[in-house]
């Protein structure tokens, strides 16, 4: 097997991250024209979870503490801007994600932070391990964001805005006593 220079791998991963960020921006902007459903909220983290198969390869494995820290940093820090910029609105009985002007800026800022962190982390771990850590960070970020979205969707659903009547009324209907 041919040996690829680490600098080429670094350039390739940065270009790949940029392409993925542009793809996410494009997909998110198109998605804001379509109604949000529970399925559309849940599927991205489920699809992304297949990435955990990378840990089958020994060269990708990292210590459990590092993995937990990467996940928690994604969950608590990197998800915050996405959560703050996600707003739902109801139109004609359907839920739509309102376009945020800051969403594109947030994605590019996260990409820049990721690239800078990559430079630092690559000094201490191998490139496959670095990829694993950033996958865990991204998974934590996406999972927290989608859990937030699901909760917001459920609040809208329970409020009755989708069909005009609450799905879970606070006071249950009492049949008339005769």
């Amino acid at each position: 097997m041919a040996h690829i220079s680490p600098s080429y791998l670094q350039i390739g991963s940065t270009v790949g991250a940029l392409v993925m960020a542009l793809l996410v921006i494009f997909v998110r902007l198109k998605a804001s024209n379509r109604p949000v459903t529970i399925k559309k909220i849940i599927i991205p983290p489920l699809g992304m979870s297949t990435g955990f198969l990378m840990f089958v390869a020994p060269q990708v494995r990292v210590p459990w503490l590092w993995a937990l820290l990467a996940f928690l940093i994604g969950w608590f820090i990197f998800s915050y801007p996405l959560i703050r910029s996600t707003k739902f609105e109801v139109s004609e009985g359907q839920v739509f994600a309102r376009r945020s002007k800051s969403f594109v800026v947030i994605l590019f800022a996260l990409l820049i932070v990721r690239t800078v962190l990559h430079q630092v982390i690559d000094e201490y771990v191998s490139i496959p391990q670095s990829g694993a850590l950033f996958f865990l960070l991204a998974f934590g970020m996406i999972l927290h964001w989608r859990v937030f979205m699901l909760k917001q969707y459920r609040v809208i659903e329970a409020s009755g805005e989708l069909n005009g009547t609450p799905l879970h009324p606070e006071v249950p209907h009492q049949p008339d006593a005769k």
Side-chain angles (χ1 to χ4, degrees):
M1 186 168 148
H3 178 72
I4 300 174
S5 167
S7 61
Y8 288 138
L9 285 174
Q10 180 64 37
I11 291 168
S13 69
T14 302
V15 169
L18 181 60
V19 169
M20 290 302 292
L22 292 172
L23 182 64
V24 166
I25 290 168
F26 176 74
V27 168
R28 291 296 305 146
L29 291 177
K30 289 201 59 87
S32 65
N33 296 329
R34 295 187 199 111
V36 175
T37 63
I38 290 177
K39 188 161 116 177
K40 288 180 182 177
I41 293 171
I42 293 174
I43 287 177
L46 286 178
M48 190 177 178
S49 68
T50 62
F52 283 101
L53 289 173
M54 80 171 86
F55 292 103
V56 170
Q59 64 269 28
V60 176
R61 295 182 191 148
V62 294
W64 282 102
L65 180 60
W66 295 7
L68 180 63
L69 286 174
F71 180 84
L72 292 175
I73 289 169
W75 182 275
F76 287 110
I77 297 172
F78 283 84
S79 67
Y80 182 75
L82 295 173
I83 289 170
R84 295 285 300 159
S85 67
T86 301
K87 305 281 187 256
F88 288 148
E89 57 188 29
V90 178
S91 177
E92 299 177 13
Q94 295 181 315
V95 179
F96 291 86
R98 189 177 343 136
R99 278 190 186 178
S100 169
K101 294 173 185 158
S102 62
F103 185 75
V104 174
V105 174
I106 289 168
L107 281 180
F108 276 114
L110 290 172
L111 177 64
I112 290 167
V113 169
R114 179 197 177 279
T115 304
V116 170
L117 284 175
H118 230 301
Q119 297 295 327
V120 173
I121 290 174
D122 281 346
E123 292 180 23
Y124 301 101
V125 298
S126 69
I127 291 174
Q129 289 175 319
S130 173
L133 290 171
F134 279 99
F135 166 79
L136 291 167
L137 185 139
F139 187 75
M141 175 181 73
I142 298 296
L143 186 62
H144 190 195
W145 179 37
R146 293 303 175 134
V147 166
F148 167 81
M149 289 174 69
L150 184 60
K151 287 179 182 176
Q152 291 301 106
Y153 186 90
R154 293 284 190 195
V155 166
I156 292 170
E157 189 178 54
S159 74
E161 290 183 68
L162 297 182
N163 60 9
T165 59
L167 295 176
H168 309 287
E170 292 179 23
V171 179
H173 176 67
Q174 300 285 332
D176 294 332
K178 293 188 180 181

